[in-house]
Amino acid sequence: MDPMLFSRLTTRREMLRATSAVAGGALLARFFPGTLLAGAARPMAYPQQAGAAPADPLAAMRAQMGATPLETLKLSDTLTMLSGPGGNVVVLNGPDGKVVVDSFVQNVWAKLKQTLDGVGNAPIRLLIDTHWHFDHTDNNANFRAAGAQILAHENTKKRLSEPHDLLGMHFPPSPASALPTQTFTATHRMQANGENVVLGYIPPAHTDTDIYIQYQRANVIHLGDTYFNGMYPFIDAGTGGSINGMIAAANRSLGLVDANTKIVPGHGPLSDRAALTRYRDVLVTVRDRVQREKTAGKSVQEVVAAKPTAEFDATWGMGFMQPDVFVTIVYNTL
Ligand SMILES: [Zn+2]
């Protein structure tokens, strides 16, 4: 469920850096109780804290994610991608005011605001939430206080209004000041700063709140957490996610892009159609192998032990999702 956990470890460099704040293995062990994870926690990533459990996992995760450097990448004359403390933010800047997608974690608000101010002096007009997870919505209230409206799918407002427990982290219902001010169900179109922006609902994939944001003139698309570039994705089964939904989302996204489209994933570096195709193919291969064994009556423990992802693990298993955990989620959502 949690996007933040992932984003913390989206690259090997980040993973090696992430040895200070949180015992991720302990969090996962709580979320996936039992012996299954006995060998799945990544001891090499947490050499100083095997077995340690933070007192407040959410605060620890915010601190850890917030320590990730914020990097800026220009995508077009009006679009800028910000990466680091909780996935990828995209800013559409111009005289109509800034339109921002996703918001990082709370504790980097000052740094994010400073970076947004550096992009241009237009006010922040609108924040768009790609889905409900906290590493994408954590600064909703700060954006509201800065004068922005918030647009999201109606399910994002619903999920943010509920309490959730995810990977050991507890999320109380969000206050009204942090909820979307406008929602949509299927699609939403808007024009701003010379761009045609199309928002579309993605049937349940990573969660049941996912949307894409397409910038038609610049040929850029943000896919939220339906796309983890170069690593196994997290799938939040607790709020509607499933492996088949993730595959359907990837196929749908491939139908929205061409060879020149700049694709912004929820986590990981800027991408393109070729990389999105490889991601889809990995998901399909793993799904098919796990489905075959599950249909044959194998238990989740047996399927995990058979290591159906082995050929991909050296690269795809280096993000937050450890191979055994990913296989477990795939199995459980089939
Ligand atoms: Zn997420």
Side-chain angles (χ1 to χ4, degrees):
M1 72 65 232
D2 172 14
M4 321 261 318
L5 286 170
F6 296 88
S7 57
R8 175 170 58 99
L9 298 172
T10 52
T11 67
R12 173 181 278 274
R13 172 177 57 100
E14 290 171 17
M15 183 183 77
L16 294 174
R17 188 188 292 135
T19 54
S20 60
V22 163
L27 287 175
L28 283 171
R30 251 182 287 161
F31 192 59
F32 301 97
T35 57
L36 182 63
L37 289 176
R42 197 190 291 285
M44 59 182 268
Y46 308 100
Q48 298 149 6
Q49 11 204 307
D56 181 349
L58 176 56
M61 192 58 63
R62 281 182 172 129
Q64 191 160 37
M65 294 193 72
T68 307
L70 200 167
E71 295 172 1
T72 299
L73 178 65
K74 192 94 171 158
L75 301 180
S76 77
D77 56 341
T78 56
L79 289 168
T80 305
M81 173 173 150
L82 312 179
S83 307
N88 294 316
V89 166
V90 169
V91 187
L92 170 62
N93 181 57
D96 296 331
K98 297 189 185 85
V99 176
V100 181
V101 175
D102 285 349
S103 73
F104 293 148
V105 288
Q106 276 178 12
N107 49 327
V108 298
W109 167 246
K111 187 163 41 171
L112 173 58
K113 180 64 165 58
Q114 184 180 34
T115 303
L116 291 172
D117 290 346
V119 168
N121 57 14
I124 303 170
R125 168 179 153 189
L126 181 70
L127 172 67
I128 297 169
D129 294 334
T130 58
H131 64 294
W132 78 270
H133 283 155
F134 82 107
D135 49 338
H136 303 260
T137 61
D138 218 17
N139 280 305
N140 276 7
N142 283 324
F143 271 84
R144 288 283 286 133
Q149 298 296 304
I150 301 177
L151 174 62
H153 189 265
E154 62 180 3
N155 288 353
T156 291
K157 185 173 184 179
K158 172 173 167 278
R159 292 303 190 183
L160 285 174
S161 303
E162 303 167 341
H164 292 280
D165 287 284
L166 197 56
L167 293 179
M169 296 178 286
H170 178 70
F171 299 92
S174 296
S177 60
L179 293 176
T181 55
Q182 184 181 2
T183 62
F184 68 96
T185 54
T187 58
H188 181 93
R189 294 170 182 271
M190 55 183 286
Q191 291 205 319
N193 303 317
E195 226 352 305
N196 299 316
V197 185
V198 180
L199 292 73
Y201 181 56
I202 303 171
H206 171 71
T207 66
D208 61 8
T209 68
D210 308 313
I211 61 170
Y212 66 82
I213 298 92
Q214 193 173 30
Y215 308 89
Q216 294 186 322
R217 188 177 69 83
N219 196 10
V220 171
I221 191 168
H222 195 317
L223 296 179
D225 280 3
T226 65
Y227 185 24
F228 281 64
N229 183 16
M231 66 195 113
Y232 298 134
F234 177 71
I235 302 172
D236 183 358
T239 57
S242 72
I243 181 62
N244 283 324
M246 290 293 274
I247 291 169
N251 282 324
R252 178 193 180 105
S253 297
L254 285 168
L256 295 173
V257 304
D258 62 34
N260 298 315
T261 307
K262 292 176 179 174
I263 304 176
V264 179
H267 298 277
L270 184 67
S271 185
D272 59 17
R273 186 173 69 180
L276 178 59
T277 302
R278 287 194 294 277
Y279 167 79
R280 187 273 315 272
D281 291 347
V282 168
L283 296 188
V284 168
T285 299
V286 173
R287 186 271 315 270
D288 289 351
R289 288 173 183 170
V290 173
Q291 181 70 75
R292 192 182 317 124
E293 298 303 309
K294 185 171 181 175
T295 301
K298 297 281 179 55
S299 68
V300 64
Q301 290 85 355
E302 290 172 317
V303 175
V304 167
K307 301 196 177 303
T309 61
E311 72 185 275
F312 306 119
D313 290 348
T315 48
W316 296 82
M318 300 311 291
F320 178 75
M321 275 289 96
Q322 301 159 29
D324 291 2
V325 178
F326 178 59
V327 170
T328 300
I329 293 174
V330 170
Y331 183 100
N332 287 337
T333 63
L334 282 171

